[in-house]
Amino acid sequence: MINQVKTYLLALQADICTQLEAVDTEATFIKDKWKKPNNKGNGLTRVLTNGKVFEQAGVNYSIVHGDDMPASATALRPELAGRRFTALGVSLVIHPHNPYVPTSHANVRFFLAEKDGEDPIWWFGGGFDLTPYYGFEEDCIFWHQNAKDACTPFGDEVYPKYKKWCDDYFYIKHRDEQRGIGGLFFDDLNEGSFEQCFAFMQSVGNSYIKAYRPIVEKRKDSEYGERERQFQLYHRGRYVEFNLVYDRGTLFGLQTGGRTESILMSLPPKVAWEYQYQPKANSPEAKLYEYYLKPQDWINAN
């Protein structure tokens, strides 16, 4: 199981980085290989900074081993307590320069939890979501259509289920706001065979760049000014708040003694907070909060 997933994840990471470099045209990803002490894991972090299109793009592969599942994993699944584990995955966050290009996030992962004398427990998780600063209905529809296409071979009920899970998960409780327009989120997937679940994880992983790259290419040359840039920096603060307060992947990485630089590469290089900011009525900024950051059926949007 581990070797099959590892081979796929490294190929996925390489493909996504190649495609993002082709879009940026100027900057390239640095490769940072790392190892944890005592054979507790290793990884390959790839980061692009200060490109023509991307202010920062991080695409991280990691595999970690531990003797006990951390609290972030056992809180919802107490049967995992006391098991040694292996966790591997690819996680990425892309922060563009242009405020009209949305930030995007994707993650696909596999866990194996073992205990002597008992059957191993394994599962897949992952998904992708989009965080625009200025909304475009056609982009929202395109993004969600790709998400649906990734799910359709596995059943008509899969996309609605994991779309709702994404909307529910990427919700900033203390702001009463969605982080973005959603996409897909799934976890604890082990129904059916390993091969079936692995195929679904690959479908989701492969779909991400198909959904994101065309949106970037469409918006990357849009003209913008200081107003749009400042709003982008302000709204990026929501991304930081979610990742540090709620994100299960961030908490898992920190609780298992993961590599901090790789875990926190998801944070934007520049961000701003403004006390009691309120967008002007009927402005594009107001429309983001009033319309785009509301869960809805984008594929059938009128």
Side-chain angles (χ1 to χ4, degrees):
M1 290 182 182
I2 297 296
N3 287 336
Q4 289 183 62
V5 176
K6 178 181 177 180
T7 298
Y8 167 72
L9 291 174
L10 287 170
L12 177 68
Q13 180 192 39
D15 177 64
I16 290 173
C17 290
T18 297
Q19 295 207 45
L20 292 175
E21 287 176 344
V23 173
D24 193 90
T25 70
E26 288 187 1
T28 58
F29 282 87
I30 64 165
K31 297 180 181 180
D32 183 15
K33 292 184 177 180
W34 52 270
K35 287 186 177 181
K36 294 182 66 177
N38 303 317
N39 294 317
K40 291 296 184 180
N42 61 81
L44 173 60
T45 297
R46 302 182 66 168
V47 179
L48 180 155
T49 56
N50 296 318
K52 181 179 179 181
V53 175
F54 304 114
E55 193 167 0
Q56 181 166 293
V59 186
N60 185 49
Y61 162 79
S62 65
I63 179 169
V64 295
H65 313 281
D67 297 326
D68 291 292
M69 294 292 288
S72 60
T74 59
L76 298 177
R77 300 186 63 180
E79 73 274 13
L80 297 176
R83 286 177 173 261
R84 61 186 180 274
F85 69 90
T86 298
L88 63 162
V90 164
S91 182
L92 63 92
V93 178
I94 313 301
H95 293 291
H97 281 292
N98 194 311
Y100 288 102
V101 181
T103 285
S104 70
H105 159 260
N107 172 259
V108 283
R109 55 191 179 273
F110 177 69
F111 282 79
L112 180 66
E114 301 175 281
K115 192 173 184 178
D116 292 341
E118 298 186 20
D119 291 335
I121 299 174
W122 57 264
W123 70 96
F124 290 92
F128 50 73
D129 63 285
L130 196 70
T131 303
Y133 305 93
Y134 292 90
F136 297 91
E137 282 191 345
E138 60 188 282
D139 294 351
C140 299
I141 295 168
F142 180 78
W143 180 260
H144 277 274
Q145 186 62 58
N146 274 271
K148 183 179 181 180
D149 291 346
C151 297
T152 297
F154 303 90
D156 292 338
E157 77 286 353
V158 176
Y159 167 72
K161 177 182 177 180
Y162 292 150
K163 177 199 179 296
K164 184 180 186 304
W165 198 346
C166 187
D167 290 336
D168 293 343
Y169 179 74
F170 290 108
Y171 170 67
I172 308 172
K173 297 182 181 69
H174 61 273
R175 296 284 190 181
D176 189 23
E177 290 176 12
Q178 300 299 129
R179 190 173 82 170
I181 65 158
L184 298 173
F185 182 89
F186 70 98
D187 207 358
D188 303 321
L189 178 65
N190 61 2
E191 297 178 5
S193 67
F194 168 82
E195 289 75 18
Q196 289 174 315
C197 296
F198 185 26
F200 177 72
M201 187 264 268
Q202 292 178 79
S203 184
V204 172
N206 296 341
S207 182
Y208 161 75
I209 198 66
K210 296 177 185 177
Y212 188 54
R213 181 173 178 175
I215 294 174
V216 176
E217 292 180 326
K218 183 184 293 184
R219 307 296 172 194
K220 65 185 177 65
D221 295 320
S222 301
E223 293 186 6
Y224 68 92
E226 187 62 19
R227 167 184 162 178
E228 291 90 344
R229 173 61 169 171
Q230 288 305 312
F231 180 69
Q232 178 195 45
L233 296 181
Y234 170 76
H235 193 64
R236 276 179 176 177
R238 302 293 205 265
Y239 211 91
V240 175
E241 290 173 22
F242 181 89
N243 275 31
L244 295 183
V245 177
Y246 302 115
D247 187 72
R248 288 165 61 178
T250 301
L251 296 175
F252 178 87
L254 296 176
Q255 290 175 359
T256 55
R259 186 172 184 263
T260 302
E261 286 297 309
S262 298
I263 296 167
L264 298 182
M265 71 171 190
S266 62
L267 301 181
K270 294 181 181 180
V271 65
W273 279 269
E274 182 178 333
Y275 183 67
Q276 291 191 335
Y277 168 82
Q278 292 293 328
K280 292 183 179 179
N282 302 316
S283 67
E285 293 82 7
K287 189 173 183 180
L288 177 74
Y289 296 109
E290 295 168 1
Y291 177 61
Y292 286 99
L293 299 186
K294 303 293 184 184
Q296 53 191 289
D297 181 3
W298 285 109
I299 292 177
N300 296 309
N302 186 349

